[in-house]
Amino acid sequence: MANKYFESVDPKVNFPELENKIIKFWKGNDVFKESVESRPVSKKWNFLDGPPFITGLPHYGSLLSSIPKDLFPRFWTMKGYRVRRVWGWDCHGLPAENKVETKLGLKSKRDIEEKIGVKKFIDECKSYVSEVSNEWEWYVDHVGRWVDFKNAYKTMDLSYMESVMWVFKNMYDKGHIYKGLRVSLYCPHDSTPISNFEVAMDPEENYKDVTEPADTYKYKVKGEEDTYLLAWSTTPWNKLATPALAVNPKLTYVKVKQGGKYYILAKTTLKILNQDDPYKIIETYKGSDLVGLAFEPHYDFYKVEPGKKAFVVVGGDFVTADEGTGIVTIAAYGEEDLTLMQKENIQIVLHVDDTGIITKDSPVAGGMYYLDANEKINEDLRKRGLIYREDKLTHSVAHCWRCHTRLYYAPQNAWFVNVQDLKARLKKNNEVVNWFPKHFKYGRFLKSMEAAPDWCISRSRYWGSPVPVWECECGEMYVPGSIKELEELSGTKIKDLHKPEIDEVTIKCKKCGKDAKRVPEVLDSWIEAGSASFAERHFPFEKGLDLKDFFPPDFIVEYTGQIRAWFYVLHVIGTALYDSNAFKNVVVTGVILGTDGRKMSKNYGNYPDPKQMLEKYGGDALRLYLMGSPVMHGEDILISEEQYRNQVRGTLLILWNIYNFFVTYANIDGWSPNAKTTKSLHVLDKWILSLLNKLVEEVTASLESYDTVGAIASVQDFIGNLSNWYIRRSRNRVGPGATDEADKSAFYETTQKVLTTLTAVCAPIIPFTVEEIYKNLTKEKSVHLSNWPKADGETNEKLIDQMKLVREVVEKAHAVRKEEKIPVRKPLSVLKVKSPKEKVDSSLVDLIKDEVNVKEVKWVKGESLEVTLDTKITPELEEEAKARELVRKIQGERRKLGMDLTQMVDVTTDWMPKDKKLVNYVTSKTLINNISEGAFKVVPSK
């Protein structure tokens, strides 16, 4: 064997073992660091990561988002950009608090203050989130993600919290933050408001169907004998405090007489009346006629403040007659209700405490949990004859995304972002964002923005960034935007912004001289997430930072749930601070579901363990599987081990076999890239190079538009063409049996170029496998330090089209052979092609003849592509077929003997071709040194 330029390739590759080797090489040689620092500081491409929560283990969902967070930075790095990639950890909020509550055996928020104290609770939270799971780095390494773990930031870091403080201050100064009484979703277990989008992130998980009362209540009209307004409600617990009823001024209402009593309801809702008891319409009104009508309350235990109204009918455009009676009960525990009460100066009554318990002063159900009080209250009203009818309603109800407690709407005196004032600018700034898939831009994202309420950004909890507002009794307010400013205002050295230390910091009021104290709330952790562009860099406090260098970032990616969550809060903060979009390009993935279509859960056992799968099939296979699946077009998929495994048996192994074939024969023939260059005239070389140009153009276009599915489809199509046609049709051109040295060299040069370009194109997609191939083929340090390839020369579209036609002809000819049961090794005389297209060039006709094993191809014009074979076997054709069979037989014996591709053999055979050309064909194909007649036997030559 000639001197070997390339390292030998193991045909039985183990991809997970290969990947472990590459990970070790990358880390040992600081390849990631070099890839970043080798690009100019002046040419940046910015990626903003949405950090995972600090505890727990990665799952397929977090791995799904991690892969494009590596793929696109690799691509843009190869395009010449400097791409900073720093890991981050999400630390604050209910996830950590709930875990610590469980650890300490706490049952409620009240237990925190009464049993262990805020100081110990916060210390436990700090301890809990400091225990970073080391497993994360293993997973991230093994999916091939490059990211700086050593310099990871945490949202609990003082620097991060200071930037969040600055964000709040700037939004406040611009008039986008206010404090007010507003209704929000509320968790009675956690005793804090919950944002709508937190629940909407995973609606299938956070909304549950419940069946509960849907009753029609009677409210006696004041001053009218036996006359009642009928009002429909699904919240019996709210009937304790119903200071108003609402009608739609534009609807038509009627008074009916039934069973000696009079009832008022919307005309279109008469079907709600008992149809067994005849009724008669006595009077008809417009809803506006009923506004101001007084009624007798069911309960009047609460005080009506001077100047406030109570127990009257008010008009509300939101009232419909789609269900119920067209009259609704109004209480403070409804978003539209509270707004109407404030507008109409109705007495606001809060009869449920912060843990969901009915207040003790209630005449019925005092001290009971609000849901448990439903039947107790209905029982009392039933006895008093104040329920007209009782029904059941099954509907979807929101539950807490962390503790899974059922939520209700409750009024909160909290801090809000005035989203309504920002909406026009939010919509305008969305126009410049590139969304992939595009339909989310004007679909779910736009619709969620249009429907969004003001954003409640404060939480009545403990573990989080403080609301940086100090209030004085005299009404003066201080909102520092930095630690330095707070230290100057308070005269106190600030080392920690967490409770309870921050609550002990006071500011001497400049107006009255008293101490201004910090408001008790902490910030919603989503404001921290939405501040990530600035806070991860400690902007604006870190020296040398220029906003335009990193904001808005070029790219973000997360799953569909983040459309209403992280993507939304980033956009709100970007718009509020700078009237800017918060990101330039956003990829929205779908959700990976368990094998049974449900959310993946260890309890269900409905998904294969991701670590075991990575150890079994490797990270490149997972990247191919997920990045090439509909999940990257925003669609949900079921996790499939079979499709994961198929990436190994398909794309990866095919590529590896091509690489193995090239290296093996290049070493046999003593070829190296330093050999004299030869301009190839072979049609297959011209064809594959044209396809290579198309591949570079297609993958570049796909990745520039953030379409991994399109990029991978192009790659897989090319690899299929390279293996199934180019390499297969070129096997006879190389090895000891091939004698045309110029053609050999042309094949090796072409294949070397194809493989080095292909590995560069695939580097962002399958970084492990191509690293191994590229290093061996080029002797360079790493494919990930190379530049992105460019299309080289012109693409011969005519040749591509003609080769496509050739392969269609071949496919049909093979189908005819199979139908006629004539094996390909048996030569036939004539193949007749009837085609609407012109006859292909002669070099392509030769390919057809060789592939189909025919002596002549006849081409005639016709309306549709048809192929026929002359199946008559002449004596000459029969002898050639026997010669091919002999070759197959000898090759089989060579394999049994374990002989390499260069070893010569001696053969005895009971049949030899009479035609000398056929004898030469047999000896060259099988590397025969001596051939003689006798009993069939193959032995190595001495």
Side-chain angles (χ1 to χ4, degrees):
M1 184 181 284
N3 290 333
K4 297 194 300 182
Y5 176 83
F6 303 105
E7 292 179 18
S8 297
V9 178
D10 183 358
K12 296 181 179 177
V13 61
N14 181 305
F15 288 108
E17 286 181 7
L18 171 68
E19 291 173 6
N20 283 326
K21 169 188 163 186
I22 297 297
I23 291 169
K24 190 174 180 182
F25 162 73
W26 284 342
K27 291 194 171 185
N29 292 274
D30 271 342
V31 182
F32 166 41
K33 183 179 180 183
E34 186 176 345
S35 81
V36 175
E37 295 181 352
S38 64
R39 300 320 192 207
V41 175
S42 59
K43 192 177 180 182
K44 294 185 175 72
W45 184 85
N46 287 296
F47 152 61
L48 180 63
D49 193 1
F53 192 68
I54 203 162
T55 54
L57 290 178
H59 47 76
Y60 286 105
S62 49
L63 296 180
L64 167 64
S65 63
S66 251
I67 295 171
K69 290 174 184 179
D70 177 77
L71 188 155
F72 290 108
R74 283 188 191 269
F75 169 67
W76 288 101
T77 297
M78 293 178 75
K79 294 266 285 181
Y81 291 84
R82 191 180 186 98
V83 185
R84 172 183 175 272
R85 281 160 272 177
V86 177
W87 189 265
W89 294 110
D90 190 4
C91 304
H92 286 145
L94 284 177
E97 290 203 34
N98 290 159
K99 293 287 186 183
V100 171
E101 283 178 339
T102 301
K103 177 185 175 183
L104 299 177
L106 304 175
K107 303 297 183 185
S108 68
K109 176 186 172 185
R110 195 168 290 164
D111 284 353
I112 295 171
E113 295 189 7
E114 295 178 356
K115 290 188 176 181
I116 65 164
V118 173
K119 172 66 175 169
K120 183 178 179 183
F121 184 75
I122 295 297
D123 287 344
E124 288 286 350
C125 286
K126 289 178 180 177
S127 173
Y128 176 75
V129 298
S130 67
E131 298 165 6
V132 178
S133 172
N134 293 325
E135 294 255 15
W136 268 96
E137 193 162 354
W138 185 95
Y139 283 91
V140 169
D141 284 344
H142 284 79
V143 297
R145 183 178 178 187
W146 278 354
V147 67
D148 184 355
F149 265 109
K150 291 179 183 175
N151 297 303
Y153 66 87
K154 297 177 181 177
T155 58
M156 64 182 278
D157 293 341
L158 186 63
S159 59
Y160 195 100
M161 294 173 73
E162 184 178 25
S163 289
V164 172
M165 188 179 187
W166 171 84
V167 168
F168 182 96
K169 163 74 169 177
N170 277 268
M171 291 174 69
Y172 180 84
D173 286 350
K174 290 175 184 289
H176 301 312
I177 291 177
Y178 67 90
K179 186 177 186 180
L181 186 69
R182 295 293 304 273
V183 168
S184 302
L185 280 170
Y186 186 83
C187 177
H189 174 268
D190 296 321
S191 298
T192 189
I194 302 291
S195 294
N196 294 45
F197 57 76
E198 290 178 298
V199 180
M201 283 175 64
D202 291 298
E204 291 184 7
E205 185 73 11
N206 297 330
Y207 281 89
K208 296 180 174 65
D209 283 346
V210 297
T211 301
E212 56 189 358
D215 301 329
T216 305
Y217 295 94
K218 295 159 63 175
Y219 288 86
K220 188 174 184 304
V221 177
K222 216 167 192 179
E224 293 190 31
E225 191 71 23
D226 292 328
T227 302
Y228 299 86
L229 294 152
L230 294 185
W232 183 78
S233 174
T234 59
T235 53
W237 59 275
N238 246 342
K239 303 296 88 59
L240 285 169
T242 303
L245 300 173
V247 297
N248 189 320
K250 296 177 183 176
L251 287 179
T252 299
Y253 290 81
V254 292
K255 180 194 283 188
V256 302
K257 183 177 183 181
Q258 184 181 52
K261 298 191 183 304
Y262 299 89
Y263 300 116
I264 298 172
L265 70 167
K267 187 175 183 179
T268 57
T269 67
L270 287 169
K271 58 183 178 296
I272 203 169
L273 296 176
N274 181 3
Q275 300 301 308
D276 295 332
D277 191 355
Y279 62 84
K280 181 181 180 182
I281 296 176
I282 303 298
E283 202 169 345
T284 300
Y285 325 86
K286 274 288 184 190
S288 54
D289 298 333
L290 297 174
V291 172
L293 192 65
F295 64 87
E296 295 179 4
H298 289 174
Y299 304 100
D300 60 358
F301 63 94
Y302 44 89
K303 182 182 177 184
V304 178
E305 299 168 18
K308 293 286 185 181
K309 294 191 292 186
F311 318 130
V312 293
V313 175
V314 292
D317 291 338
F318 60 87
V319 178
T320 73
D322 296 338
E323 56 188 356
T325 65
I327 303 175
V328 297
T329 59
I330 296 295
Y333 296 85
E335 187 174 0
E336 292 170 318
D337 294 31
L338 182 61
T339 301
L340 183 61
M341 292 172 79
Q342 290 168 328
K343 176 187 172 186
E344 297 290 340
N345 200 28
I346 302 294
Q347 176 68 47
I348 292 171
V349 186
L350 304 180
H351 67 294
V352 178
D353 73 10
D354 63 358
T355 62
I357 302 297
I358 304 289
T359 55
K360 293 278 180 69
D361 60 342
S362 297
V364 178
M368 294 181 72
Y369 190 61
Y370 78 105
L371 287 176
D372 297 336
N374 280 341
E375 180 49 37
K376 189 83 172 173
I377 294 165
N378 269 358
E379 181 185 3
D380 178 62
L381 294 175
R382 198 181 297 123
K383 287 178 181 175
R384 293 161 57 194
L386 294 175
I387 301 181
Y388 178 84
R389 63 178 287 168
E390 297 181 72
D391 299 289
K392 294 290 183 183
L393 175 71
T394 300
H395 59 151
S396 187
V397 175
H399 286 67
C400 181
W401 66 298
R402 281 300 172 187
C403 68
H404 309 299
T405 301
R406 178 174 170 175
L407 305 178
Y408 61 91
Y409 285 94
Q412 296 294 309
N413 199 10
W415 296 88
F416 293 85
V417 173
N418 190 337
V419 173
Q420 310 317 309
D421 282 359
L422 289 170
K423 278 188 179 179
R425 289 155 61 192
L426 288 170
K427 290 165 77 171
K428 174 182 71 74
N429 291 332
N430 185 41
E431 290 295 327
V432 299
V433 178
N434 173 44
W435 284 79
F436 187 89
K438 292 190 183 301
H439 64 83
F440 287 119
K441 179 173 184 172
Y442 297 114
R444 199 177 302 182
F445 188 66
L446 180 60
K447 289 175 182 175
S448 65
M449 278 197 302
E450 289 174 338
D454 285 355
W455 172 20
C456 179
I457 57 170
S458 60
R459 296 290 180 265
S460 309
R461 295 295 303 187
Y462 309 99
W463 179 234
S465 287
V467 172
V469 177
W470 275 255
E471 290 181 325
C472 181
E473 291 176 11
C474 71
E476 200 70 3
M477 195 175 288
Y478 298 88
V479 186
S482 68
I483 289 173
K484 182 181 178 183
E485 187 181 352
L486 177 57
E487 288 177 339
E488 290 172 349
L489 286 168
S490 67
T492 305
K493 183 68 178 174
I494 305 298
K495 296 180 180 178
D496 192 349
L497 287 170
H498 288 103
K499 292 166 88 59
E501 286 82 2
I502 193 63
D503 293 338
E504 295 163 5
V505 175
T506 59
I507 294 174
K508 187 67 68 177
C509 180
K510 293 177 182 177
K511 186 176 180 182
C512 72
K514 293 182 179 179
D515 284 344
K517 297 180 180 179
R518 194 189 75 83
V519 298
E521 297 91 353
V522 295
L523 287 170
D524 173 14
S525 60
W526 285 103
I527 203 167
E528 295 180 324
S531 303
S533 293
F534 318 105
E536 65 148 324
R537 298 170 190 263
H538 194 208
F539 181 85
F541 307 104
E542 204 69 28
K543 290 181 180 178
L545 288 179
D546 188 342
L547 184 70
K548 68 177 183 295
D549 285 344
F550 62 87
F551 182 84
D554 292 285
F555 172 68
I556 61 172
V557 56
E558 293 294 343
Y559 82 111
T560 47
Q562 298 292 2
I563 291 173
R564 294 187 176 99
W566 191 50
F567 299 159
Y568 170 71
V569 297
L570 283 170
H571 195 60
V572 169
I573 290 174
T575 296
L577 292 183
Y578 295 110
D579 195 15
S580 167
N581 50 303
F583 37 85
K584 296 175 185 174
N585 300 281
V586 53
V587 170
V588 186
T589 76
V591 177
I592 305 177
L593 302 171
T595 51
D596 57 2
R598 293 186 290 180
K599 185 176 180 180
M600 285 186 283
S601 167
K602 287 183 180 178
N603 294 331
Y604 301 152
N606 61 347
Y607 67 97
D609 180 75
K611 187 168 187 178
Q612 288 181 9
M613 294 299 99
L614 284 167
E615 290 173 333
K616 192 173 182 181
Y617 305 121
D620 275 350
L622 184 64
R623 291 170 77 108
L624 277 172
Y625 164 39
L626 295 180
M627 295 301 97
S629 79
V631 80
M632 291 305 294
H633 280 172
E635 300 175 29
D636 295 349
I637 62 168
L638 305 185
I639 190 69
S640 167
E641 182 178 350
E642 181 184 7
Q643 289 189 39
Y644 187 173
R645 180 178 62 243
N646 286 346
Q647 310 308 315
V648 179
R649 296 193 303 203
T651 305
L652 292 177
L653 208 49
I654 293 170
L655 175 60
W656 191 265
N657 289 341
I658 297 167
Y659 163 58
N660 177 41
F661 175 84
F662 169 77
V663 168
T664 301
Y665 279 96
N667 283 341
I668 287 172
D669 286 335
W671 184 86
S672 74
N674 303 319
K676 184 179 177 182
T677 59
T678 307
K679 180 164 180 165
S680 176
L681 298 175
H682 200 292
V683 68
L684 282 170
D685 296 343
K686 293 177 181 177
W687 170 72
I688 200 65
L689 290 174
S690 284
L691 281 189
L692 184 67
N693 276 345
K694 281 197 77 170
L695 174 72
V696 172
E697 291 168 353
E698 288 174 358
V699 175
T700 303
S702 290
L703 294 186
E704 284 180 346
S705 62
Y706 298 91
D707 181 7
T708 60
V709 178
I712 289 174
S714 295
V715 165
Q716 291 176 327
D717 187 52
F718 180 84
I719 290 174
N721 282 318
L722 180 63
S723 172
N724 297 333
W725 195 245
Y726 178 75
I727 294 294
R728 193 162 66 80
R729 292 308 322 146
S730 297
R731 285 180 177 273
N732 293 339
R733 300 169 63 190
V734 295
T739 56
D740 187 337
E741 294 301 321
D743 188 51
K744 264 189 191 182
S745 183
F747 167 79
Y748 288 128
E749 284 179 35
T750 301
T751 309
Q752 166 84 0
K753 180 176 181 178
V754 168
L755 283 175
T756 52
T757 304
L758 175 61
T759 50
V761 166
C762 290
I765 300 168
I766 44 174
F768 295 114
T769 306
V770 297
E771 182 75 294
E772 177 73 5
I773 296 173
Y774 186 87
K775 278 160 54 67
N776 192 17
L777 294 184
T778 65
K779 306 307 176 188
E780 294 175 13
K781 184 174 181 179
S782 171
V783 68
H784 304 290
L785 300 176
S786 68
N787 293 323
W788 186 253
K790 295 180 180 178
D792 183 11
E794 290 186 13
T795 301
N796 191 332
E797 293 288 354
K798 180 184 176 184
L799 176 57
I800 291 172
D801 288 343
Q802 286 200 334
M803 192 67 82
K804 184 179 179 183
L805 177 58
V806 165
R807 296 184 70 179
E808 288 176 4
V809 169
V810 164
E811 186 181 343
K812 287 181 177 292
H814 282 315
V816 173
R817 275 186 172 274
K818 187 175 181 181
E819 189 177 333
E820 297 290 336
K821 297 182 180 175
I822 304 172
V824 178
R825 62 179 174 272
K826 282 195 172 185
L828 296 174
S829 57
V830 178
L831 169 68
K832 186 177 180 181
V833 179
K834 188 183 288 186
S835 171
K837 295 183 180 179
E838 294 296 327
K839 183 178 180 180
V840 297
D841 295 344
S842 59
S843 56
L844 294 171
V845 172
D846 289 341
L847 281 179
I848 297 173
K849 287 158 69 173
D850 196 33
E851 171 69 17
V852 182
N853 197 7
V854 296
K855 300 303 177 186
E856 183 183 2
V857 174
K858 292 183 178 179
W859 201 284
V860 296
K861 273 279 193 178
E863 292 184 5
S864 55
L865 185 62
E866 294 179 29
V867 170
T868 54
L869 281 166
D870 183 348
T871 57
K872 183 181 178 183
I873 308 293
T874 65
E876 293 80 10
L877 293 174
E878 184 63 43
E879 184 169 16
E880 186 179 331
K882 290 175 74 175
R884 287 175 176 264
E885 177 61 27
L886 180 59
V887 168
R888 189 192 65 79
K889 195 173 178 183
I890 295 169
Q891 296 288 35
E893 288 300 308
R894 286 180 64 96
R895 283 193 291 273
K896 285 181 184 177
L897 292 168
M899 302 187 72
D900 70 36
L901 296 170
T902 61
Q903 285 180 280
M904 304 295 287
V905 293
D906 295 334
V907 174
T908 55
T909 175
D910 54 4
W911 179 87
M912 279 191 14
K914 295 173 186 175
D915 187 331
K916 191 175 180 181
K917 286 184 180 178
L918 290 178
V919 174
N920 290 338
Y921 164 76
V922 173
T923 56
S924 64
K925 279 287 184 183
T926 56
L927 294 186
I928 294 175
N929 187 33
N930 291 304
I931 186 167
S932 57
E933 292 194 38
F936 181 76
K937 189 175 183 182
V938 179
V939 295
S941 293
K942 293 181 180 178

